[in-house]
Amino acid sequence: MSREFNKERAAKALVDAILMGDRAAAEKYEVTVKSIEGWRVRLETDSKFREFFRDLRQAKDEQWAEDLPAALASCINFLKQAGQQADPAKPEAIAAITGAAETLADIALTQKMVDERLRAARAEREATE
């Protein structure tokens, strides 16, 4: 038995599929991977659905970008405390702090890349509108 098309549910599932993959999104929304794939094809032919999806995706992108600095600040504060309380004579403490520093450097680089991709995506959207 097939359900009636629900534009909001389909768009949310497609946005989540971008972030978590088709299978995980299908499980979250209790649909098949084929439904996800079908909705993706529908984006090509249904302009109202495509517009709704685009707006939802843009809002999700902006929310994620807005949440990231606070989350990173919280992590950095935790790492500062851990670094101050760690025993520098213990090799595992040195390894943990080194690992945390490498992770922070990776995050900083990733953030720059994400910012650039979001900037490019916004420019592309604006050019097509």
Side-chain angles (χ1 to χ4, degrees):
M1 181 173 129
S2 66
R3 295 182 179 178
E4 187 175 320
F5 179 67
N6 180 323
K7 173 177 68 173
E8 184 175 349
R9 179 175 183 236
K12 285 180 178 180
L14 287 175
V15 169
D16 281 351
I18 292 168
L19 301 172
M20 60 179 29
D22 288 1
R23 180 168 286 143
E27 288 175 12
K28 178 178 178 179
Y29 290 91
E30 298 179 348
V31 299
T32 64
V33 171
K34 287 208 176 280
S35 292
I36 300 283
E37 293 168 348
W39 293 335
R40 199 171 284 125
V41 169
R42 187 174 183 145
L43 286 171
E44 298 170 14
T45 59
D46 184 337
S47 61
K48 290 186 184 214
F49 179 48
R50 183 173 48 249
E51 184 177 332
F52 186 82
F53 166 78
R54 185 189 67 225
D55 292 345
L56 185 67
R57 181 177 176 186
Q58 181 178 355
K60 187 96 169 190
D61 285 348
E62 289 170 359
Q63 184 61 51
W64 180 85
E66 289 173 13
D67 290 347
L68 185 61
L72 288 175
S74 178
C75 290
I76 290 168
N77 287 334
F78 173 80
L79 291 173
K80 282 181 187 177
Q81 284 182 317
Q84 291 168 350
Q85 295 173 2
D87 183 350
K90 293 187 176 179
E92 61 271 12
I94 295 169
I97 297 300
T98 301
E102 289 172 352
T103 299
L104 287 173
D106 288 346
I107 289 170
L109 180 59
T110 301
Q111 185 176 16
K112 287 179 183 178
M113 290 174 26
V114 167
D115 286 346
E116 184 54 37
R117 285 185 182 175
L118 288 174
R119 192 174 7 268
R122 282 190 200 106
E124 183 179 323
R125 276 194 297 270
E126 290 171 2
T128 60
E129 292 178 349

